[in-house]
Amino acid sequence: MSWAVPKEVEEKVDALVRRYPKPRSAVVMVLHALQEHFGCISPEAIEWTARKLGLRPINVLELVTFYPMFRREPFGKFHLRICRTLSCALAGSHQLHRHICEKLGLDPAKPGPQTSTDGLFTVEFVECLASCGTAPVIMCNETQHEQMTIEQVDKLLDQCRCKCGTGREGNLAAEHGFEP
Amino acid sequence: MPCERHLILKNIRKPGYSTDIECYLRHGGYEVLRKALALQPAAQPDGTTLGPKEQIRREVEISGLRGRGGAGFSCGMKWSLVDRKSGKPVYLVCNADESEPGTFKDRQIIHHDPHQLIEGMIIACYANDVHLAFIYIRGEFIEGARILDRALEEARAAGFLGRNILGSGYDLDIYIHRGAGAYICGEETGLIESLEGKRPYPRIKPPYFPAVLGLYQCPTIVNNVETLCAVKHIVGMGGAEYARLGTPDNTGTRLVCISGHVKRPGCYEIEVGKVTFRDLIFDEAFGGGLLDGRQLKAIIPGGVSAKVFRAGEKVRVNKRTADGKMIETEMDVLDLPYDFTSVSAAGSMSGSGAIIVLDNSADMVEVLANISEFFAHESCGQCTPCREGSLWMAKILRRLAKGRGQPADVALLLSVADQIPGGRTICAFGEACSWPVQSFLVKFGDEFRAKAEANADKKSDRAFAETQ
């Protein structure tokens, strides 16, 4: 199947481009829109963006490689961003990170994002999420979870698994009392 | 009794206060904008007349407002430097790229009172003849961007944005621009490059002062979220009235973020300079003290870039006496008032208003390793001393923290830190990554040397054992 940007995404992109006096300004916003739709930034997405904005592909690629939020490989269904920086570290975020990695069969010492073999979770140790007053914080996709503990992390992982109807044995919804 | 003084947080802290425009209007929202747009040219005592926009700019100047992003530069001065004769459009960008570790104040405004920011921004734009403005929000604030987007839509529908705002003939549009996870975008010229769709490499000053050569080489104002909210209150209450809050040179209120080893971490609004570190850390109205049985070890006073204070450290600052004379006095760091001038006189900075408290459970080598790891990750890579130095320092600290250091590491670390700042890099990131290292080594050097030497002892023990 050939790669194509759906009409509604292209309309969204066109509206974004119109906001700026110069189309090039829209690159990051366009990449966000494409990543939201496709899950990652593929070479096709880079070329499409370049054509759309009248740039050379390198002008787009150099941003994809610079900004930590853009990814060139698809992530798991749930992206867990655990804050690594000082206030969260003082409140135990490194222990949470290790716990999550061990639970999902990942290597806590390995740098960069890692995805569990079932493709459900991508775990990433990120820099300050600007919520130091409620440390430690974890972002699960777009939602922020504050003052996290090991117990809450376990519950969060189960909640995610429950949403997909996969995961470990037992009735997860009944155990934690949340809606399936 | 030290206490909070709410201007910006006034409504946010009310139960049931929400982000929709009806709620904001019920609480007197957009009244200051109406007042600003209705200003008439005013005759001056010297016979000249002052236009409405100049009047607003003058109020901001009189208010003494200093930028709340980190540098504490006078907002009135920043606006006065804008090149208004170039014939080019003037742009305004709100810096909502909140990423200095320890800082979480802009988040409170964006998430809980977005219209306050938008009203402040419209007033600032009107005062500076801006017709297109952006809110540069950090990429991870996904929910925040959504809230602001909706608020902007509401403001547009209510006639506060768009063409002919409230019948005044003034046109303005504001758009959200999302970043994508790079700390360097908080540096104003890096932010501008990023907004132009390039890698956010900071620009060299001179010639690239944003007030003259900013976005698209046009005059540009970059103001922090909190600064723009303060503008709304200044225009609402008058510059002179605002200047009565706080202390001379450090006027108004300021959001302070307290995190780390305290009982009540959080964001508090204070009159600048009316509250000391002791109040902020120990008073029930603020941090609420340390965890039971712990002792204070160190204070990071203004985000992790700021130089650290050691508990019990004596600092020398100028103090104004009752009869107005300035005298130099020595005081305990805890008695230092929290304001731009005092904290910088004591050798550090209040930066973005982020205080991180460390108690005796903190291992200073690990703390600094954590900080340096941040800077190593965030250096944009444009200037060699910073790109190489930040990574090198993080590497040395990583091995020290893991007990694999060498005695020479402490001197090496200091020599690297000393060779980054001082005009060798394009932006202040070079300073920011060196200051914590330099100050930790001066004030907690023993801990670093002990770690380095403990490993050397272990090594020589091993070497000795091998010879046996």
Side-chain angles (χ1 to χ4, degrees), chain B residues 45-321:
Chain B
D46 63 0
T48 58
T49 51
L50 206 58
K53 292 171 183 180
E54 288 81 4
Q55 289 173 46
I56 298 174
R57 296 207 295 266
R58 199 169 68 173
E59 290 304 317
V60 171
E61 216 160 323
I62 293 170
S63 76
L65 175 66
R66 295 174 69 164
R68 302 297 195 236
F73 189 74
S74 155
C75 180
M77 171 88 82
K78 197 177 221 181
W79 289 9
S80 76
L81 296 172
V82 171
D83 180 3
R84 296 176 208 283
K85 296 200 177 79
S86 63
K88 298 185 209 168
V90 179
Y91 295 106
L92 185 140
V93 186
C94 167
N95 188 344
D97 190 62
E98 179 162 73
S99 358
E100 176 68 32
T103 319
F104 47 98
K105 63 191 179 70
D106 299 342
R107 164 191 287 277
Q108 316 299 324
I109 299 164
I110 293 164
H111 280 236
H112 304 295
D113 203 359
H115 283 287
Q116 181 181 193
L117 168 61
I118 294 169
E119 184 174 6
M121 245 182 117
I122 302 171
I123 297 166
C125 287
Y126 176 66
N128 289 290
D129 253 321
V130 172
H131 298 286
L132 180 61
F134 295 94
I135 302 175
Y136 190 107
I137 187 168
R138 64 176 294 182
E140 293 87 344
F141 281 3
I142 304 167
E143 182 60 24
R146 212 171 279 137
I147 292 169
L148 275 172
D149 239 341
R150 196 176 51 230
L152 287 169
E153 268 317 309
E154 287 176 331
R156 224 165 266 142
F160 299 124
L161 278 175
R163 292 214 163 275
N164 191 16
I165 295 169
L166 299 174
S168 64
Y170 173 61
D171 306 335
L172 170 69
D173 255 315
I174 301 178
Y175 295 111
I176 300 287
H177 182 93
R178 289 180 61 204
Y183 169 79
I184 198 64
C185 294
E187 200 280 342
E188 59 178 5
T189 59
L191 182 149
I192 289 170
E193 282 283 300
S194 172
L195 191 48
E196 287 186 3
K198 300 170 194 157
R199 275 194 174 194
Y201 290 151
R203 296 173 175 173
I204 198 152
K205 301 185 218 181
Y208 295 106
F209 292 107
V212 183
L213 293 172
L215 185 62
Y216 312 124
Q217 305 298 316
C218 297
T220 303
I221 297 166
V222 182
N223 278 149
N224 173 260
V225 171
E226 188 189 342
T227 311
L228 288 165
C229 290
V231 167
K232 180 207 135 155
H233 296 286
I234 289 163
V235 175
M237 70 205 293
E241 192 61 31
Y242 185 86
R244 265 194 276 280
L245 294 168
T247 48
D249 291 338
N250 293 276
T251 56
T253 66
R254 165 154 215 212
L255 302 181
V256 182
C257 309
I258 306 174
S259 67
H261 292 141
V262 287
K263 281 192 181 137
R264 279 166 34 97
C267 178
Y268 303 94
E269 188 171 5
I270 60 163
E271 275 191 62
V272 192
K274 291 277 179 79
V275 176
T276 64
F277 277 104
R278 189 187 303 283
D279 301 330
L280 290 168
I281 296 168
F282 291 99
D283 198 274
E284 286 305 315
F286 301 103
L290 306 172
L291 302 181
D292 297 331
R294 303 277 182 87
Q295 286 95 46
L296 184 67
K297 186 170 188 178
I299 307 164
I300 298 175
V304 296
S305 317
K307 291 188 175 176
V308 68
F309 288 129
R310 188 168 39 83
E313 184 178 336
K314 297 278 178 275
V315 294
R316 296 190 74 82
V317 290
N318 289 323
K319 213 176 170 185
R320 199 181 294 272
T321 55

Side-chain angles (χ1 to χ4, degrees), chain A residues 13-111:
Chain A
V13 164
D14 289 335
L16 285 172
V17 176
R18 277 196 297 273
R19 292 176 171 187
Y20 300 94
K22 295 189 180 175
R24 185 171 183 172
S25 283
V27 189
V28 169
M29 293 295 277
V30 172
L31 289 173
H32 274 305
L34 294 180
Q35 182 163 285
E36 261 160 46
H37 180 79
F38 292 105
C40 66
I41 305 292
S42 60
E44 291 89 346
I46 290 172
E47 278 170 31
W48 186 87
T49 306
R51 268 198 311 279
K52 189 89 200 163
L53 303 174
L55 302 170
R56 286 171 298 161
I58 184 65
N59 302 137
V60 182
L61 176 66
E62 66 173 357
L63 302 190
V64 175
T65 55
F66 186 91
Y67 289 105
M69 280 181 78
F70 295 129
R71 48 187 189 245
R72 301 170 74 191
E73 304 289 333
F75 271 15
K77 206 169 165 58
F78 299 98
H79 181 194
L80 298 172
R81 278 180 264 235
I82 303 142
C83 177
R84 191 206 65 81
T85 321
L86 190 55
S87 298
C88 280
L90 293 171
S93 72
H94 290 239
Q95 287 87 320
L96 292 180
H97 176 255
R98 195 173 316 123
H99 176 77
I100 293 173
C101 285
E102 280 164 4
K103 254 196 121 160
L104 300 175
L106 306 170
D107 177 7
K110 204 174 146 190

